[in-house]
Amino acid sequence: MDGEVRQEVAKQLVKGYLVHMLVYIVVVLAFLGIAYRWCGSQVWYPWDELYPLVHWLHVNVVPVFLCVLLVGCVAITCVHFYQMARLLELVTNAVDDLYANRINSVKLPSSLQEVERKLNQIMVGIRASQQEAKDAEQRKNDMIIYMAHDLKTPLTSVIGYLTLLKDEPEISQELRQKYLDIAWNKAGRLEDLVNEFFELTRMNFAHMTLKRSMVNMTMMVEQFMYEFKPLLAEKGMDYELEAEPEIMVYCDIEKMQRVFDNLLKNAINYGYPDSMIHVYLDKNGEQGMKLIVQNHGQTIPAEKLSYLFEQFFRLDSSRDSKTGGTGLGLAIAKQIVELHGGKISCESSNETIVFIVEL
């Protein structure tokens, strides 16, 4: 609970206590004044029944007043301590019910209105965090299942083709080479998946550090686009790069290469065959940049855009081993960009997908 809420609650409790004390003192003084005037207006004789009592009160009026005042103050203090203990019990019970999910909202007395509001805010945050954790755990479990499936498929192929080569010694050289090529490609895919799986298990974003230096981002992007030509050619795709010359950015070059690598692979995997990928690189301040990667592919539904950068999320529901990774690429890219103090976002409409990185 923040300091403002504590101060407000303490202020209300102290205010109530002081008001009750003041009212009690005023009532006692008023009663004493009325009694004193009434007694003074009467003629008292020694043989009157109340004379000894009135005389004693008259002589000891100050001690009696102080004693009555003290007893009343002690009684009021005890009542307020009891009320505070009761309020504390109500808050404690509300917190217990909140964490045990036994209630949907906290209800407290009007004197604890600020506490009620704060606890309800905390409850909303806790429920949201619990749901996020539950969703992340479910995606992680699904990803382990998917990884097991994706690992099994190329492994089965490798074993199958190697078994054929072992059991059929008289197989033709041409067919032998074909089987070896297939087994080699499947083994490469298997290695990629194993590496991704190990990355999944050892990843800890909290300990990711940056080794910054001045980087010619224009040159790096041009080099990357050239290196991706073979992957683009496999799908009949091509690229168009528009970049301002000599854009210098203070960043960790290895990690920014990883961001660009993930974005380009994503554009190729989910882009239409024989389509064009457009890459735009502009300056963003003295040592910043704005990178846009645009490709043509199936429009991403608006409800899925917010999940693209979450760990273990995969856009394709079919477990296509050619397009599917571990669902970590964009999550890693987002973490790297944010560590640089930048932001990454995605827009999609009319069969166009646009990723925007700003540093």
Side-chain angles (χ1 to χ4, degrees):
M1 196 179 303
D2 55 38
E4 292 183 3
V5 174
R6 288 196 298 269
Q7 289 178 4
E8 183 63 26
V9 172
K11 183 178 177 181
Q12 290 182 5
L13 293 175
V14 172
K15 181 180 177 181
Y17 176 73
L18 293 178
V19 167
H20 287 160
M21 281 290 194
L22 182 61
V23 170
Y24 175 72
I25 293 172
V26 170
V27 169
V28 171
L29 286 173
F31 178 78
L32 180 63
I34 293 172
Y36 189 82
R37 291 193 60 178
W38 181 78
C39 291
S41 66
Q42 302 296 317
V43 178
W44 300 94
Y45 298 98
W47 53 83
D48 289 337
E49 293 182 3
L50 294 179
Y51 178 80
L53 177 61
V54 172
H55 180 72
W56 183 84
L57 290 175
H58 179 75
V59 173
N60 299 286
V61 62
V62 174
V64 169
F65 168 72
L66 294 176
C67 183
V68 171
L69 194 64
L70 179 61
V71 170
C73 290
V74 170
I76 291 174
T77 302
C78 291
V79 170
H80 272 268
F81 268 112
Y82 173 78
Q83 289 179 341
M84 284 189 285
R86 178 59 181 160
L87 292 176
L88 181 60
E89 182 183 6
L90 290 174
V91 173
T92 304
N93 291 337
V95 172
D96 290 340
D97 291 339
L98 187 152
Y99 279 97
N101 290 323
R102 290 193 291 264
I103 55 175
N104 294 322
S105 62
V106 175
K107 297 292 183 183
L108 294 174
S110 58
S111 59
L112 295 177
Q113 206 168 38
E114 284 299 315
V115 178
E116 176 184 309
R117 181 186 62 81
K118 190 65 178 180
L119 287 177
N120 282 322
Q121 287 181 351
I122 294 172
M123 182 191 65
V124 172
I126 289 174
R127 298 282 167 81
S129 299
Q130 288 175 341
Q131 187 61 44
E132 289 176 5
K134 184 178 179 181
D135 292 343
E137 185 65 23
Q138 184 61 46
R139 286 196 300 273
K140 182 177 179 180
N141 292 337
D142 291 343
M143 184 55 58
I144 291 174
I145 295 172
Y146 297 152
M147 284 294 298
H149 174 270
D150 288 348
L151 288 172
K152 182 180 179 181
T153 301
L155 183 61
T156 301
S157 296
V158 170
I159 294 174
Y161 283 109
L162 290 179
T163 301
L164 280 174
L165 292 173
K166 176 184 176 184
D167 295 343
E168 300 290 339
E170 311 237 343
I171 197 170
S172 67
Q173 187 63 30
E174 182 181 354
L175 197 55
R176 180 182 296 274
Q177 187 61 45
K178 178 182 178 181
Y179 288 168
L180 283 173
D181 289 342
I182 295 174
W184 175 265
N185 291 332
K186 295 293 183 181
R189 173 61 181 166
L190 183 62
E191 182 183 25
D192 291 340
L193 289 170
V194 169
N195 289 336
E196 289 181 345
F197 187 74
F198 276 119
E199 183 177 26
L200 171 66
T201 58
R202 67 181 172 80
M203 183 175 302
N204 186 348
F205 285 145
H207 295 90
M208 188 183 288
T209 56
L210 299 178
K211 298 179 181 178
R212 294 176 184 258
S213 61
M214 293 302 298
V215 177
N216 189 326
M217 195 60 63
T218 303
M219 185 179 298
M220 190 199 84
V221 172
E222 289 175 348
Q223 180 181 347
F224 250 91
M225 296 307 303
Y226 181 80
E227 292 174 355
F228 268 79
K229 276 188 173 182
L231 285 177
L232 290 164
E234 288 180 7
K235 292 187 67 174
M237 302 174 76
D238 203 351
Y239 73 90
E240 182 180 83
L241 172 62
E242 295 183 21
E244 293 186 27
E246 303 297 320
I247 296 180
M248 304 301 294
V249 179
Y250 188 59
C251 65
D252 187 320
I253 184 171
E254 291 185 2
K255 291 183 171 57
M256 288 309 301
Q257 285 175 341
R258 187 168 188 181
V259 171
F260 197 60
D261 180 81
N262 285 333
L263 292 179
L264 274 182
K265 285 182 178 178
N266 191 78
I268 294 171
N269 288 337
Y270 294 101
Y272 290 142
D274 305 314
S275 64
M276 183 76 72
I277 294 177
H278 300 273
V279 179
Y280 306 94
L281 183 63
D282 301 308
K283 286 185 178 179
N284 186 21
E286 290 296 322
Q287 297 181 355
M289 68 161 192
K290 182 177 182 180
L291 173 70
I292 299 176
V293 178
Q294 175 183 312
N295 68 287
H296 299 284
Q298 187 174 355
T299 303
I300 301 173
E303 63 271 14
K304 289 189 176 182
L305 283 175
S306 59
Y307 295 103
L308 281 180
F309 300 100
E310 292 189 8
Q311 296 182 42
F312 314 118
F313 180 79
R314 286 180 59 169
L315 189 61
D316 58 324
S317 56
S318 64
R319 306 302 303 167
D320 186 352
S321 61
K322 292 183 179 180
T323 61
T326 59
L328 289 170
L330 292 178
I332 295 172
K334 179 176 184 288
Q335 184 70 17
I336 292 173
V337 171
E338 289 182 348
L339 277 174
H340 281 83
K343 61 180 180 178
I344 183 171
S345 59
C346 179
E347 302 170 358
S348 182
S349 61
N350 301 321
E351 298 189 321
T352 300
I353 304 168
V354 181
F355 282 93
I356 305 169
V357 176
E358 294 179 83
L359 293 182

